Amino acid sequence: MEYEAVIGLETHVQLKTQSKMWCGCANTFGSPPNTNVCPVCLGMPGVLPVANEEALRLTVLTGLLLNCEIPARAKFDRKNYFYPDVAKNYQITQYDQPSTRGGHVDFEFQGGMARVRITRAHLEEDVGKNNHFDRNSGVDFNRAGVPLLEIVSEPDLTSADMAYEYLNALKDILVYGGISDCDMEKGMVRCDVNVSVRPKGGTGLGAKIEIKNMNSFSGVRRALTYEIPRQIEVLQGGGTLIQSTRRWDDAGGITEEMRTKEHAHDYRYFPEPDLMPFEPTPEWLAAVKSRMVELPLARKQRFMKTYELPAGDAEVFKNDVPLGHYFETAAQGAANPKAVANWVINNLRARLAETQAREIAEQESLGLERSDMTFTGLSDLKFPPQALRDLVGLVENQTLSSSAAQQVFVEMFETGKAPADIVQEKGLAQVSDTGALEALCDEAIAANPGPAADYRSGKLAALNRIKGHVMKLSQGKANPGLVGEILERKLRA
Amino acid sequence: MLNTLTISETTARLQRREISAREVLAACLDQVRRVDSKLHAFLALDEPDALAQAEAADKRIAAGEQGPLLGVPIALKDVIAVRHQRLSCGSRILENFVSPYDATVTGKLRAAGAVIFGRLNMDEFAMGSSTENSAFGPSRNPWDRERIPGGSSGGSAVAVAADQCIAALGSDTGGSIRQPAALCGCVGLKPTYGRVSRYGLVAYASSLDQIGPFAKRVRDAAVLLGAISGYDPKDSTSVAQPVPDYSAALTGSLRGLRLGLPREYFAAGGLDPQVKAAVDAAVDKLRELGAEPVEISLPHTDYAVATYYIIATAEASANLARFDGVRYGLRVDGKDPIELYGNTRGQGFGDEVKRRIILGTYVLSSGYYDAYYLRAQKVRTLIRRDFLKAFETVDAIVTPATPTVAFRLGEKSQDPLQMYLSDIFTLSCNLAGICGLSLPCGFTRSPKLPIGLQLLGRPFGEETLLRVAHTYEQATGWHVQKPALD
Amino acid sequence: MAGAHMDVTDVAHLARIRLTPAEEQTLGRQLDQILDYMEQLKGLDVSGVEPTAHPFPLVNVMRPDEARPSLSQDEALRNAPAPANGLFMVPKIVE
């Protein structure tokens, strides 16, 4: 019998706020242990939580970006379980009245489009971090109380690759919306995977198996690549699967059972008496809505349509939002946006990268830490985006040859002067005067008897050699198209 | 004997420079030394810190400063956080815990110039009605040391009744201020839920807990309430209701006030005839003073005990989960964290706390939530509605504070249900979130033990309660009677 | 007894309280008695009644997203039973 996988994901994402969810401790990563803590996030006796408004805004914003409904009322609940990294031995979360529910994410998959429905995105608090040693463990509560969004998908995913692409699409949306930095290295995104298998085409669900605490998307993909065949094998071997929780051993490349349903937790959820419910007002919602951004996929599709960019270029601008903004400004009123995109991606981006590499090297030699360094970015450029459009225009109307345009660009980058002024100053305007070009062509043919003979004998590629000579003689200013025409005419004569 | 002064007498004499804050504190400390070995109201006392505060208050007075509590020694129940003081909550599990922060009320008392001294005994984590559940031994009733002072804020009631301080703060979740105040013969006020910040009050049942004053006089309770009330951004459940001048409400007039007498309270089985007689007499007195008593009904009264013990214990089971031996407090080791938790909590908590945590865990657990917790929350709605409906026709409600006077130590400690049922008159006030006050309204003959009158008021109706209580107090002499302590 | 019954061992474990056999017996008896008393609530008609979670209804209580100073590591660990290297130590966690 053939089987298919049914996969749902619970994705936990740390929100990008200044302070923690219930207290004023800084929401930062990498501090010495237990230095971003206070009586509230340490669960000291007598303390009370107060909800961080920005975290609620980001939650609702996420809901809007994931096409969710925003219920008129949301509340917090206590989820009770004892664990050393849970300061209060309960976690404050949204159980039956979350801030958002019922949305979906569309993403590109295997050359087409896929949709995963979102059950809900709810707000809760992160827990501390356990450090394990040979004989004991130690808890750092710096992370405890950091606002955490849990995004629960419907079991709409059918393969390891699809799960991987969904996670990347989700991450793109969250980064776009300014919801989270989604820095995997810093543990800002973690995943619980629910996976079961069933006879292909079936509608029922098999025993749900949960793989906890995945901290990378590729890990999710690897775990599923292992787990799905494992489950199928058990069933095909006549065995049965029971609802259970498993752990992914990344080094071993296997999943292992942690506990079965009989040992499932009884979380004893009940409404958090220390926090009041939320009923977003129309004004509050409008303010959050004003922070909505265009989704990455929509943006990519718009770039392809509006500017007629190839998918590759549009992808670059989807992944590098500021660069995309820059392109859009530069492309305003441009006759050939595709050419502008080429310049932004191939010249501007490369030049910036070079500059930044040099700046890093310089500052490293001064002993600066990476976090204290400053680099030239898009906003530090000496010329406005319109200047790039003008430069492309000069090439397009054949005022500049592309090699001369490179020189102009370097000058723009260094001085911020307008392209037309640079062309003027340096006399870089393309020579299209036929008389002058005829003379240069004659000179070049005379200097290249070999290639001239080759061309005449039918090796058409030999023309480039002579053409290059003309360009050299003209110091790059000759109109290459015109030169080609003149040479062809002269050599055929 | 400066320790016997009221707040108003103390501040008046301090302002006239007849006495110093240092002297008032010294008198209180002397009294503690004299009587506390017999009464055990205090769990801890930081004398140098208290003296430093008194000296600071004297400087402020000398500089011409005035304040409603400037230089007044006030003792706190050991469940309210004071920075760098112990905060044991009457429990072994927090025996050596030192608070790194001030409760909001502590900050407000400091701002008002109070001299905060002493940690007062209590039932462990405020769970109890007798102070017998303190891990550090019971407090004793100053009127009869073989009897309980009530609880859970027993230490606060004893310290005020025995003049070991000028006034005190306690907390009330189901009667823990009003019941011991009644049994010890002082004034105790449970404010409306949300009136006083709970930040820094170690939580027993979050939706029921309030901090409130213990005082020798109604006027003192008004002053102290004014000092600790108000919205607190650190407590999401505190209410941004303006704080009135509570002393100004003490007009002495009851004309036109309708007082409700709930028939379910007066007909309750187990109501001691002497208590009933004293409360009946108090009602007559109130009528004489111009109020109009009318019979009312609070039909869901009989359900209050069951409702309370489900909601309170459920919340407590989560609130007390943090005492696990990891970050602070007692630790009894184990081979793994689960064993460590079980050992620490098994040995760190007393019987009543264990009983309530287990009960609360049960009523929230899978399969029982709807039958117990959710149902209790709905009955809570009905109880609250009873009160709000009653307040459509009356300005305040008058009841006995307790069914009996102080019982003997050990009398009910083996029968938790009987102990719970003794809170029958005070629990509903917390479930409804309204305010309540108890004050002396007489004594039994032999032995001579105080009887308390309870007044219940509308949400944020503390002024009415204080006005009724003050008018009654001024027309009677109960409040000037003192226990013989030798 | 025909009335309510709680498996005290189980619930105590859920609450992470280790009871002695004697405690289990006494507590079990007392708790069953209390649960029996609570049966009276089941006789009350609560259909259509909204539950009360907070006695005073407020909504949208929030604080601005502003960072404030934290405790020092020393202060954070001052009450810790087993501090080491800035961490709260516990027996080895194995799940």
Side-chain angles (χ1 to χ4, degrees):
Chain A
M1 196 189 299
E2 264 205 88
Y3 287 88
E4 65 182 6
V6 180
I7 305 161
L9 296 178
E10 291 164 19
T11 312
H12 296 85
V13 182
Q14 286 185 349
L15 295 179
K16 194 171 168 177
T17 55
Q18 297 296 309
S19 62
K20 290 188 180 181
M21 187 61 224
W22 316 117
C23 62
C25 287
N27 176 6
T28 54
F29 178 85
S31 309
N34 293 305
T35 54
N36 294 326
V37 292
C38 73
V40 174
C41 55
L42 284 174
M44 292 275 187
V47 297
L48 296 170
V50 185
N52 181 337
E53 182 169 13
E54 177 65 2
L56 279 149
R57 286 196 204 103
L58 292 176
T59 302
V60 169
L61 180 58
T62 305
L64 295 171
L65 294 175
L66 301 183
N67 309 291
C68 290
E69 167 207 341
I70 310 300
R73 186 182 170 91
K75 71 172 172 69
F76 286 100
D77 301 274
R78 292 185 183 176
K79 176 183 182 179
N80 295 286
Y81 67 103
F82 283 83
Y83 211 70
D85 56 13
V86 184
K88 305 179 289 293
N89 286 317
Y90 58 82
Q91 183 191 28
I92 304 177
T93 181
Q94 296 181 316
Y95 178 54
D96 57 352
Q97 291 184 266
S99 281
T100 80
R101 67 194 335 160
H104 62 261
V105 177
D106 291 325
F107 57 102
E108 294 173 308
F109 180 58
Q110 292 181 338
M113 294 299 301
R115 169 170 290 189
V116 166
R117 288 169 301 151
I118 300 297
T119 316
R120 56 195 278 164
H122 69 255
L123 184 53
E124 57 188 31
E125 58 179 325
D126 209 343
V127 297
K129 196 166 167 34
N130 297 319
N131 297 274
H132 302 290
F133 306 102
D134 283 348
R135 303 180 48 192
N136 52 12
S137 303
V139 195
D140 170 11
F141 288 95
N142 281 346
R143 200 178 68 180
V146 165
L148 197 65
L149 195 62
E150 178 171 338
I151 301 165
V152 182
S153 86
E154 291 287 314
D156 291 349
L157 297 154
T158 55
S159 69
D161 285 341
M162 189 178 180
Y164 181 76
E165 289 306 328
Y166 158 75
L167 285 170
N168 277 303
L170 187 61
K171 177 185 163 182
D172 283 348
I173 293 172
L174 296 171
V175 172
Y176 254 59
I179 310 289
S180 172
D181 288 334
C182 292
D183 190 332
M184 313 293 284
E185 302 288 308
K186 296 178 180 170
M188 288 181 186
V189 187
R190 281 137 25 220
C191 245
D192 296 337
V193 181
N194 292 308
V195 53
S196 62
V197 297
R198 67 181 173 201
K200 204 174 172 84
T203 50
L205 287 178
K208 189 179 87 173
I209 288 169
E210 185 177 26
I211 311 170
K212 293 286 262 188
N213 281 328
M214 307 292 305
N215 51 21
S216 79
F217 295 170
S218 55
V220 170
R221 180 157 65 180
R222 285 195 299 277
L224 283 168
T225 305
Y226 169 85
E227 179 65 15
I228 296 168
R230 184 193 74 82
Q231 291 187 16
I232 294 172
E233 221 167 277
V234 170
L235 293 180
Q236 281 175 336
T240 48
L241 293 161
I242 52 164
Q243 187 172 331
S244 56
T245 302
R246 300 178 73 84
R247 165 203 355 254
W248 169 243
D249 170 4
D250 201 49
I254 55 163
T255 63
E256 304 164 303
E257 185 164 290
M258 288 163 73
R259 58 175 175 265
T260 55
K261 193 191 173 187
E262 298 91 88
H263 300 100
H265 293 294
D266 182 349
Y267 289 122
R268 289 163 282 133
Y269 288 97
F270 74 104
E272 167 57 275
D274 289 331
L275 292 165
M276 292 300 183
F278 292 87
E279 293 179 0
T281 62
E283 298 74 36
W284 194 87
L285 275 179
V288 174
K289 272 186 189 147
S290 73
R291 291 169 63 175
M292 279 182 79
V293 294
E294 184 183 29
L295 291 186
L297 181 62
R299 183 178 172 83
K300 180 178 171 185
Q301 289 169 339
R302 183 172 62 80
F303 273 62
M304 289 171 71
K305 193 159 174 260
T306 310
Y307 304 109
E308 296 176 330
L309 300 188
D313 287 2
E315 184 77 19
V316 169
F317 293 137
K318 184 192 94 178
N319 294 333
D320 188 338
V321 175
L323 197 70
H325 279 314
Y326 188 91
F327 160 73
E328 288 207 87
T329 316
Q332 287 245 332
N336 185 355
K338 164 91 191 73
V340 176
N342 271 334
W343 274 89
V344 170
I345 294 171
N346 299 325
N347 300 80
L348 178 61
R349 192 172 62 158
R351 186 86 198 173
L352 267 177
E354 250 171 56
T355 310
Q356 286 171 1
R358 201 182 59 238
E359 287 167 342
I360 289 171
E362 280 168 9
Q363 294 179 78
E364 262 170 4
S365 70
L366 295 172
L368 262 70
E369 290 295 325
R370 188 60 76 99
S371 56
D372 299 326
M373 292 184 184
T374 50
F375 327 104
T376 306
L378 280 173
S379 54
D380 308 312
L381 292 177
K382 292 178 178 158
F383 59 91
Q386 293 73 17
L388 199 64
R389 178 196 60 206
D390 295 344
L391 175 64
V392 174
L394 292 173
V395 179
E396 289 289 309
N397 69 16
Q398 309 207 335
T399 306
L400 271 181
S401 68
S402 57
S403 60
Q406 297 290 349
Q407 291 180 55
V408 174
F409 177 73
V410 171
E411 185 72 12
M412 273 166 66
F413 196 91
E414 300 299 334
T415 65
K417 285 182 189 164
D421 295 346
I422 298 168
V423 172
Q424 184 82 43
E425 267 173 39
K426 305 223 163 192
L428 290 172
Q430 190 157 257
V431 178
S432 298
D433 165 5
T434 324
L437 291 181
E438 297 256 355
L440 291 176
C441 287
D442 288 339
E443 192 181 334
I445 290 168
N448 291 282
D454 287 348
Y455 181 83
R456 287 192 182 103
S457 66
K459 290 183 186 165
L460 299 182
L463 188 70
N464 287 335
R465 187 77 185 273
I466 310 167
K467 205 166 152 185
H469 198 103
V470 178
M471 294 310 290
K472 201 169 160 192
L473 290 173
S474 74
Q475 293 168 312
K477 290 185 285 183
N479 180 332
L482 218 49
V483 170
E485 280 170 33
I486 296 169
L487 284 175
E488 277 173 27
R489 176 165 43 79
K490 285 186 187 288
L491 289 167
R492 281 204 205 105
Chain B
M1 297 261 282
L2 298 178
N3 55 305
T4 63
L5 296 178
T6 64
I7 293 178
S8 12
E9 289 163 356
T10 309
T11 49
R13 292 181 64 180
L14 283 169
Q15 286 299 329
R16 292 199 298 268
R17 314 285 204 276
E18 293 169 12
I19 55 172
S20 70
R22 213 193 136 94
E23 287 163 349
V24 183
L25 175 68
C28 292
L29 296 176
D30 279 348
Q31 181 74 344
V32 174
R33 273 190 286 271
R34 201 167 70 82
V35 304
D36 207 55
S37 58
K38 301 170 198 162
L39 299 176
H40 196 221
F42 284 78
L43 292 177
L45 201 53
D46 184 345
E47 290 196 21
D49 176 67
L51 283 168
Q53 290 180 64
E55 277 163 18
D58 280 329
K59 279 186 191 138
R60 286 167 70 176
I61 294 166
E65 217 176 299
Q66 297 191 350
L69 297 174
L70 187 51
V72 179
I74 292 179
L76 306 190
K77 184 179 182 180
D78 200 18
V79 72
I80 298 169
V82 176
R83 189 170 140 88
H84 294 161
Q85 298 281 321
R86 58 175 272 176
L87 178 60
S88 82
C89 303
S91 182
R92 286 270 172 242
I93 214 162
L94 285 181
E95 188 169 4
N96 298 310
F97 180 75
V98 174
S99 176
Y101 74 102
D102 267 347
T104 295
V105 293
T106 305
K108 282 178 176 281
L109 289 181
R110 288 192 201 283
V115 174
I116 299 162
F117 84 109
R119 309 295 304 164
L120 296 171
N121 199 10
M122 56 185 284
D123 283 302
E124 184 177 7
F125 289 108
M127 296 180 183
S129 314
S130 67
T131 321
E132 291 167 293
N133 297 331
S134 168
F136 310 109
S139 298
R140 288 163 184 269
N141 194 308
W143 295 88
D144 177 351
R145 294 201 294 269
E146 294 312 308
R147 289 176 188 265
I148 58 99
S152 65
S153 313
S156 303
V158 174
V160 170
D163 289 317
Q164 294 173 285
C165 58
I166 305 301
L169 291 185
S171 66
D172 189 318
T173 307
S176 285
I177 290 176
R178 290 158 291 153
Q179 185 253 21
L183 301 188
C184 292
C186 50
V187 180
L189 191 157
K190 187 215 83 95
T192 305
Y193 188 81
R195 172 76 295 182
V196 178
S197 169
R198 294 184 296 115
Y199 187 80
L201 168 68
V202 180
Y204 157 25
S206 314
S207 77
L208 301 161
D209 296 339
Q210 274 288 291
I211 295 172
F214 278 89
K216 300 169 188 174
R217 295 290 184 277
V218 173
R219 180 174 295 279
D220 287 3
V223 169
L224 200 43
L225 177 66
I228 61 173
S229 290
Y231 170 71
D232 178 11
K234 288 184 182 143
D235 176 1
S236 307
T237 65
S238 76
V239 180
Q241 180 90 7
V243 180
D245 178 354
Y246 289 112
S247 307
L250 312 180
T251 59
S253 165
L254 299 186
R255 206 141 304 278
L257 276 188
R258 286 167 65 89
L259 302 177
L261 308 175
R263 75 173 70 97
E264 293 81 3
Y265 284 58
F266 286 88
L271 176 58
D272 183 311
Q274 289 194 68
V275 172
K276 181 165 190 309
V279 174
D280 285 344
V283 170
D284 289 342
K285 189 75 189 175
L286 289 165
R287 185 184 290 114
E288 198 181 293
L289 291 166
E292 184 196 341
V294 291
E295 194 183 78
I296 58 163
S297 174
L298 298 168
H300 295 93
T301 298
D302 279 350
Y303 300 100
V305 173
T307 304
Y308 173 86
Y309 279 95
I310 291 170
I311 291 174
T313 59
E315 291 180 6
S317 73
N319 284 333
L320 274 69
R322 68 189 62 196
F323 306 114
D324 61 0
V326 173
R327 281 147 292 114
Y328 49 79
L330 177 77
R331 166 180 292 197
V332 182
D333 262 313
K335 68 174 176 355
D336 57 27
I338 292 186
E339 211 180 271
L340 180 147
Y341 295 150
N343 291 342
T344 299
R345 292 162 62 79
Q347 294 179 40
F349 289 137
D351 289 345
E352 184 58 29
V353 172
K354 289 183 203 172
R355 202 153 33 230
R356 294 198 194 186
I357 291 176
I358 292 171
L359 181 58
T361 302
Y362 179 74
V363 299
L364 288 175
S365 64
S366 171
Y368 299 100
Y369 181 89
D370 288 0
Y372 289 104
Y373 187 73
L374 186 62
R375 177 164 280 263
Q377 280 196 319
K378 290 178 178 177
V379 181
R380 184 176 188 181
T381 305
L382 298 176
I383 291 169
R384 180 171 163 80
R385 275 189 206 155
D386 282 355
F387 280 96
L388 297 185
K389 184 155 175 278
F391 287 126
E392 287 171 11
T393 56
V394 299
D395 298 292
I397 292 170
V398 180
T399 80
T402 56
T404 67
V405 289
F407 45 89
R408 288 175 194 284
L409 282 156
E411 192 176 321
K412 295 187 181 177
S413 51
Q414 293 314 307
D415 191 345
L417 184 58
Q418 283 314 306
M419 189 77 95
Y420 297 173
L421 289 168
S422 70
D423 297 336
I424 179 97
F425 295 150
T426 48
L427 297 174
S428 297
C429 169
N430 302 73
L431 289 168
I434 60 174
C435 55
L437 178 153
S438 87
L439 80 164
C441 72
F443 292 88
T444 53
R445 276 178 301 276
S446 180
K448 184 181 181 182
L449 294 168
I451 298 170
L453 183 72
Q454 176 175 239
L455 304 172
L456 301 173
R458 293 190 181 98
F460 300 97
E462 283 84 355
E463 288 168 283
T464 306
L465 296 191
L466 290 163
R467 172 149 67 107
V468 175
H470 177 252
T471 310
Y472 174 81
E473 176 192 75
Q474 296 305 304
T476 57
W478 312 116
H479 59 285
V480 296
Q481 304 203 29
K482 298 269 182 186
L485 293 171
D486 298 305
Chain C
M1 190 162 57
H5 176 67
M6 177 196 300
D7 182 342
V8 178
T9 315
D10 213 44
V11 183
H13 177 70
L14 201 51
R16 298 291 183 266
I17 294 176
R18 188 170 183 180
L19 298 176
T20 63
E23 281 178 316
E24 281 189 3
Q25 215 175 12
T26 319
L27 277 173
R29 185 173 42 76
Q30 292 168 334
L31 287 165
D32 284 352
Q33 201 187 346
I34 293 164
L35 287 178
D36 260 345
Y37 177 76
M38 288 171 172
E39 290 290 303
Q40 60 163 300
L41 287 191
K42 296 187 178 162
L44 198 57
D45 180 13
V46 292
S47 51
V49 180
E50 282 296 307
T52 295
H54 298 98
F56 195 90
L58 295 170
V59 290
N60 304 333
V61 183
M62 298 176 276
R63 64 177 182 85
D65 180 28
E66 286 161 10
R68 292 179 196 288
S70 297
L71 292 177
S72 68
Q73 194 188 63
D74 278 354
E75 189 97 26
L77 291 160
R78 183 155 299 163
N79 283 288
N85 303 317
L87 299 169
F88 294 92
M89 302 309 291
V90 290
K92 193 162 170 78
I93 302 169
V94 276
E95 226 201 320

